[in-house]
Amino acid sequence: MAKIKSEKSILFAIPAIILYASFMIGPLAAMFYISTLKWTYIIAPPSFLGLDNYRNMFESDAFWTALKNTIILVTTLLPIMIPLAFMVGYYLSLKPRGHRILRILMFTPGLISMSATAMVFFAVLTPPGLLNGALNNLGLSNENTAWLGNTRTALASIWFINLWQGIGYTAVLITARLESIPREIFEAARLDGASNWNRMWRISWPIIMDYIGTVTMLQFLWTIFGGAGLIILLTGGGPGYATTTLGVLVYGKAFSENQLGYSQAAGVILFVFGLVGMILIKRLIKAKD
């Protein structure tokens, strides 16, 4: 009887396996294959190059700059965003006055379209924009800095936009997880004299550590994959390669330079980078459990 049930469950899983293979494994295998081709246009016949695309990529300064920028964004953004989002989420879980409105405000950046976000921050960061105007009025500066056009400030500007866009969204997700913790735990800690700070970091943080790992991985994936769209809209990867990440490099080589094989070689590196990053985050979170 158990064997029959097992066979039936396998039959029910076959459609899902086929869909997964078609839309996940298939494109992944195609990416690896295309990375070995010289393919300049979709309608042009490709020719086999082997590993030449990878060799050319590793000899390119643009690739190493893109890899460096990607590493900088990930390693500096996540360690700041996740703790801040946790603290905001903890505050919201206490249900202060107006907490429902605060949740909506925090969640709003995640709902705004990428193009709208780019337009808003373009208006803020241009030389005659809101940021320079505010700094000049406060007497902190008398210059009209092109924040997105300066190699010293462009990547930092992208970093800040990613922080603004992700911190509230992540905080609301963490709030939902915190509210599932039995209130009796916090009440007992309060009666024992634990401050809000201790209840936040010594009780709440360890309890939801597994969920912290999940939202960290989600933000990691968004930073290396989804964040490329915002960079393309705001700077196009410039000035020079100052804001070029691996995701931007993949897009630029495919759609601007029509080097489809090269772009998929960069895509393979981006895939490996994402896979290694996910494994490292998982191990780091598990080590802290």
Side-chain angles (χ1 to χ4, degrees), residues 22-234:
S22 300
F23 293 100
M24 295 295 294
I25 299 176
L28 186 62
M31 178 180 69
F32 280 92
Y33 173 67
I34 294 173
S35 70
T36 64
L37 303 177
K38 180 181 180 181
W39 199 359
T40 53
Y41 292 94
I42 292 293
I43 59 175
S47 57
F48 184 74
L49 284 179
L51 299 177
D52 284 356
N53 283 323
Y54 293 94
R55 187 177 299 109
N56 294 334
M57 181 176 61
F58 291 138
E59 292 174 354
S60 169
D61 291 337
F63 166 74
W64 292 110
T65 302
L67 179 61
K68 181 189 73 173
N69 290 338
T70 304
I71 293 173
I72 289 173
L73 281 177
V74 169
T75 56
T76 60
L77 182 65
L78 296 181
I80 294 176
M81 178 191 292
I82 300 303
L84 287 178
F86 170 72
M87 287 190 284
V88 174
Y90 179 81
Y91 175 72
L92 291 175
S93 72
L94 299 177
K95 294 183 171 56
R97 181 176 296 180
H99 66 93
R100 291 185 177 86
I101 296 175
L102 285 175
R103 288 193 189 196
I104 294 172
L105 292 176
M106 288 290 176
F107 206 74
T108 298
L111 301 177
I112 299 175
S113 69
M114 191 177 295
S115 57
T117 300
M119 289 177 63
V120 169
F121 278 97
F122 187 80
V124 171
L125 298 171
T126 51
L130 297 176
L131 180 57
N132 284 324
L135 293 175
N136 292 338
N137 290 334
L138 293 172
L140 300 176
S141 174
N142 57 3
E143 299 180 0
N144 289 327
T145 305
W147 298 95
L148 293 171
N150 190 319
T151 55
R152 295 177 299 174
T153 58
L155 189 63
S157 299
I158 297 298
W159 184 95
F160 175 80
I161 297 171
N162 275 278
L163 181 67
W164 172 85
Q165 197 171 35
I167 191 170
Y169 181 86
T170 306
V172 174
L173 295 179
I174 291 174
T175 301
R177 176 65 181 90
L178 286 170
E179 289 181 343
S180 68
I181 301 175
R183 295 295 97 185
E184 292 81 2
I185 295 176
F186 297 108
E187 186 61 25
R190 187 183 67 81
L191 293 174
D192 287 339
S195 64
N196 253 325
W197 183 262
N198 287 330
R199 278 178 272 165
M200 178 170 60
W201 290 109
R202 295 189 178 183
I203 298 176
S204 301
W205 178 265
I207 289 176
I208 68 166
M209 182 58 70
D210 57 337
Y211 193 75
I212 293 295
T214 299
V215 295
T216 301
M217 287 190 282
L218 289 174
Q219 283 298 334
F220 169 75
L221 292 176
W222 165 256
T223 302
I224 65 173
F225 292 109
L230 189 64
I231 297 174
I232 292 166
L233 290 171
L234 284 171

